[in-house]
């Protein structure tokens, strides 16, 4: 009887958003109580919120391309591209705008409606190659795709330039809690990340900001990260939830490999569920590490509120399911793709966007011959 009563009290205390109710005043205690709910109760709450705000069978497919791989001056403990770590990754020259446009065309033909471009940089700084990135954004946007970049630190002027080029979204993850961040990277601060996010928001670009599970954090770090995101003045339009893919030679990857413990499907469902409940209008993106989970486990993550995946066999430098595997999963689960610039990204549609038809059905297809995935 005591256990039943205690569980009932916990359920009453763990309030959650309903359709049309956006909160930015979540307390850390509330988020923690949500995270600690019995798994099936948490899953039910998240699924309910998800269905009040989204078509539960719609999952956006995005493609991630590495524009410039390796040689990064940052010392992120999880990243294989840092010059501080001895990994299999070797620095490569930056792709040309023509190469990027060809990759984008093939990604669109394979069913993607968002095209993401990343560079192994600390930040844009005064790099001449930033002008190439601006051209790439213009070119990819002209195809009718949502565009996203992750280029490191940005100042206010650079954010405006990206917006003027037609950029839809900018990815800049907080990775973990403020208190644990110093254990992950020493070459930048949490405040640096928040400043870039503020610059992106001020420029009128959609914010893509989430975190990584499995970087030697504790449960309270996961709770704190979600609390930080859910109490921003505006919730990120996209919240990626990543599971670390440990790479030999990286400090955090080596720790996870030594322990023989990976992020579990339960870890992912708890993080996705709490993100969905506290940020009901945001896209929750099931990102890196997806290849470690079965179709059944991924199905539970979609049920909990994840409504975007990356397609293609590589994410920057780590493995990802093949296009054909995802096509089979979509068919089995009855999932459909998301039309670009609908829902959370509708207001970020560029004025010069190509007319591809907003009612055009989006179907995830098998691999298109010659698709070049993120080249690392």
């Amino acid at each position: 009887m005591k256990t039943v009563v205690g569980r009932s009290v916990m359920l009453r205390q763990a309030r959650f958003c309903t359709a049309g109710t956006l909160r930015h005043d979540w307390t850390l205690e509330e988020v923690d109580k949500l995270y600690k709910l019995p798994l099936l109760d948490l899953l039910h709450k998240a699924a309910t919120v998800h269905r009040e705000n989204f078509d539960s069978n719609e999952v956006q497919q995005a493609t991630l391309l590495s524009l410039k791989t390796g040689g990064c001056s940052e010392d992120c403990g999880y990243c294989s591209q840092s010059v501080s770590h001895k990994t299999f990754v070797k620095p490569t020259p930056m792709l040309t705008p023509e190469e990027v446009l060809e990759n984008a065309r093939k990604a669109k033909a394979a069913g993607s409606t968002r095209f993401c471009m990343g560079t192994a940089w600390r930040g844009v700084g005064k790099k001449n190659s930033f002008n190439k990135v601006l051209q790439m954004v213009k070119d990819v946007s002209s195809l009718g795709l949502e565009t996203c970049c992750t280029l490191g630190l940005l100042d206010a002027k650079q954010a405006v330039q990206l917006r003027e080029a037609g950029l839809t979204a900018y990815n800049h993850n907080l990775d973990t809690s403020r208190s644990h961040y110093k254990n992950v990277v020493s070459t930048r601060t949490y405040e640096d990340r928040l400043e870039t996010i503020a610059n992106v928001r001020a420029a009128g670009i959609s914010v893509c900001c989430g975190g990584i599970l499995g970087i030697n954090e504790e449960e309270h770090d996961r709770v704190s990260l979600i609390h930080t995101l859910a109490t921003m003045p505006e919730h990120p339009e996209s919240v990626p939830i990543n599971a670390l893919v440990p790479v030999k030679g990286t400090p955090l990857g080596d720790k996870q490999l030594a322990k023989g413990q990976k992020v579990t499907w339960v870890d992912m469902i708890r993080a996705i569920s709490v993100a969905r409940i506290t940020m009901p209008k945001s896209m929750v993106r099931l990102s890196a590490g997806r290849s470690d989970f079965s179709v059944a486990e991924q199905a539970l993550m979609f049920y909990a509120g994840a409504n975007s995946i990356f397609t293609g066999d590589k994410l920057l430098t780590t493995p990802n399911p093949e296009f054909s595997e995802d096509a089979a999963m979509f068919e089995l689960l009855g999932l459909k793709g998301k039309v670009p610039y609908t829902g959370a990204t509708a207001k970020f549609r560029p004025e010069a966007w190509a007319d591809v038809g907003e009612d055009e059905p989006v179907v995830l297809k098998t691999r298109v011959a010659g698709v070049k995935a993120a080249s690392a």
Side-chain angles (χ1 to χ4, degrees), residues 313-335:
D313 62 0
K314 189 173 288 188
L315 295 183
L316 298 181
T317 65
T318 56
N320 197 55
E322 295 273 358
F323 279 110
S324 56
E325 294 176 57
D326 285 334
M329 178 177 69
F330 268 51
E331 183 175 0
L332 175 66
L333 301 180
L335 301 177

Side-chain angles (χ1 to χ4, degrees), residues 72-328:
C72 183
S73 61
E74 299 278 49
D75 67 354
C76 306
Y78 54 80
C79 186
S80 61
Q81 302 194 65
S82 171
V83 294
S84 300
H85 315 320
K86 293 183 179 180
T87 69
F88 69 92
V89 175
K90 305 301 178 187
T92 61
M94 190 167 185
L95 299 180
T96 66
E98 293 74 21
E99 289 175 307
V100 172
L101 185 58
E102 181 62 17
N103 275 274
R105 287 194 183 103
K106 291 172 179 175
K108 180 180 178 180
S112 287
T113 58
R114 174 176 283 217
F115 193 75
C116 306
M117 296 163 276
T119 57
W121 291 344
R122 167 178 167 76
V124 171
K126 296 182 179 179
K127 294 179 175 63
N128 292 328
S129 48
F130 181 53
N131 290 325
K132 292 182 181 179
V133 174
L134 295 175
Q135 185 59 53
M136 294 169 185
V137 171
K138 292 177 183 177
D139 291 344
V140 174
S141 182
S142 72
L143 299 178
L145 292 169
E146 295 180 9
T147 53
C148 181
C149 281
T150 178
L151 314 172
L153 303 177
L154 279 183
D155 63 28
K157 180 180 178 181
Q158 292 158 349
V160 170
Q161 288 176 286
L162 284 167
R163 175 57 181 163
E164 291 175 345
L167 188 70
T168 312
Y170 195 83
N171 169 256
H172 205 61
N173 291 331
L174 290 178
D175 294 342
T176 187
S177 68
R178 183 187 293 269
S179 61
H180 185 52
Y181 195 72
K182 62 182 180 296
N183 302 317
V184 175
V185 56
S186 68
T187 49
R188 63 172 182 261
T189 67
Y190 216 64
E191 287 67 29
D192 290 333
R193 303 298 273 186
L194 291 171
E195 181 180 353
T196 288
I197 292 168
N199 290 335
V200 168
R201 178 66 76 195
I205 298 171
S206 172
V207 172
C208 179
C209 184
I212 309 171
L213 308 188
I215 51 177
N216 210 37
E217 79 281 5
E218 302 291 340
E219 184 178 281
H220 66 82
D221 294 307
R222 298 175 183 179
V223 170
S224 179
L225 168 66
I226 296 173
H227 175 257
T228 297
L229 297 171
T231 54
M232 287 181 170
E234 292 184 70
H235 293 159
E237 284 76 22
S238 295
V239 181
I241 305 295
N242 297 274
L244 179 68
V245 179
V247 175
K248 184 178 180 181
T250 61
L252 293 175
D254 286 344
K255 282 185 179 181
Q256 192 182 98
L257 290 169
K259 291 179 180 178
Q261 298 176 342
K262 286 191 172 185
V263 175
T264 69
W265 62 272
V266 174
D267 295 329
M268 292 294 288
I269 286 174
R270 287 199 177 277
I272 289 167
S273 295
V274 178
R276 169 54 64 224
I277 294 167
T278 57
M279 293 170 279
K281 302 290 185 182
S282 301
M283 297 287 293
V284 177
R285 300 186 183 272
L286 174 54
S287 300
R290 189 165 60 87
S291 58
D292 285 340
F293 303 110
S294 69
V295 170
E297 290 166 344
Q298 291 180 64
L300 286 174
M301 295 173 202
F302 296 135
Y303 185 72
N307 54 355
S308 175
I309 60 170
F310 281 112
T311 59
D313 62 0
K314 189 173 288 188
L315 295 183
L316 298 181
T317 65
T318 56
N320 197 55
E322 295 273 358
F323 279 110
S324 56
E325 294 176 57
D326 285 334

